[in-house]
Every structure is written in C-alpha cells, then in structure tokens.
Amino acid sequence: MLRRLMTPVAALVLCAACGAPADPTADSPPGAVTCESGPRTSLAGPGDTEWRHPDRSFYAPADPDVPTGGSLEHLIVRDNALIVQYSRELPQPSIDEIRDWAAMQTATVAVPGPADPVIRATLASTELTCDGLDLNQLTELARSRTPGEVADHGDQ
C-alpha cells in the first residue's frame, strides 16, 4: 500500500518543484491587494445633474465641499478624468499616499467614498475596484487614458 502511494506523492513533489503553482492565487503574498477591472458604473445619483469643476485634486473625508456625483460624472465623461473614491476607513498614512499620488497625476480627483470597495477608480469606460490601496495599479489605469480626449462642454 505504501509503495502505491509513493509514486503519486513523488510526482506531486516533483511537479511542485518545477515552478508551476498548483493554486493560481499562490503567487500573491499574504495581505496583497486584489483589484478587479470591469465596465464603469455611474457615480451620479438620481437627479444629480448639477456640476462644477473641482478646484483641487484631493478631498479629505472632513472637507465640506466634496464634488457631487454629477460633478464627478462630468469630469469622467467630458474631461477624460480619473476619479478615485477611497474608503474613509483607510488608515491616515494610506489617505496621505492617495493625496500625494493624486497631486502628481493629470486630470485626477480623489474623493472620499463608501467603505466598500476600499478603492474605486473610474474612467470613461473602465472601473477598477480594489480591496486595498495599490498605487501601481492606479498609475497603470491613469496611464491607460488617451491624452487630450475631452468633449465639448456645451451646456452640459
């Protein structure tokens, strides 16, 4: 009986040693941030059509003048902006990282959002949701925009 088990066990050990992980999630270290990309959803609520251009790239959780959903939608659709909503429950050092990162980006506004997802980054056609802060993935999304693509504002 022991000899019959040795061959399959030896094959599993050898296969594991060849570098092919048995579990595709085994590549991620414990505590790694997981992000998913998909089609975007609207940031505006019902009747939220009023807009104004934000005057800065970052809004703290306590700021009284956080842009409305209508303003954020305008930025996405008309100004080719990246909107990053972050959980108010993030630790302050992470919020500081988002503030510093957003200040270095073109046409990017970071605003406090709901607790879940921790990060929701939205472009005209794409939304990235993350269970933590991953500035590399946010940067990759920001760089995926075609520069200079803005729409005529007209009355909207």
Side-chain angles (χ1 to χ4, degrees):
M1 174 80 161
L2 186 58
R3 281 187 176 207
R4 274 191 267 157
L5 287 175
M6 290 302 285
T7 303
V9 169
L12 283 173
V13 169
L14 288 173
C15 185
C18 72
D23 178 5
T25 61
D27 292 341
S28 302
V33 173
T34 302
C35 295
E36 294 183 11
S37 183
R40 88 171 182 93
T41 56
S42 178
L43 301 180
D48 191 6
T49 57
E50 295 295 317
W51 64 270
R52 68 174 176 78
H53 282 115
D55 56 1
R56 57 189 183 271
S57 61
F58 176 82
Y59 290 84
D63 286 344
D65 59 342
V66 173
T68 65
S71 295
L72 299 175
E73 278 294 312
H74 171 88
L75 290 172
I76 292 167
V77 174
R78 300 287 184 185
D79 297 321
N80 195 28
L82 170 62
I83 303 302
V84 178
Q85 293 177 299
Y86 62 90
S87 169
R88 298 168 189 263
E89 297 174 10
L90 273 173
Q92 190 60 48
S94 294
I95 292 174
D96 293 343
E97 284 185 70
I98 293 170
R99 180 197 62 227
D100 296 345
W101 176 85
M104 299 304 294
Q105 304 303 309
T106 301
T108 298
V109 178
V111 297
D116 188 40
V118 174
I119 299 292
R120 177 183 180 193
T122 308
L123 291 175
S125 63
T126 306
E127 184 171 284
L128 182 73
T129 56
C130 303
D131 61 5
L133 178 59
D134 186 332
L135 294 179
N136 290 330
Q137 290 199 55
L138 289 177
T139 300
E140 186 176 319
L141 180 64
R143 289 180 178 163
S144 72
R145 293 178 285 182
T146 303
E149 281 191 2
V150 294
D152 180 30
H153 283 62
D155 295 328
Q156 299 178 357

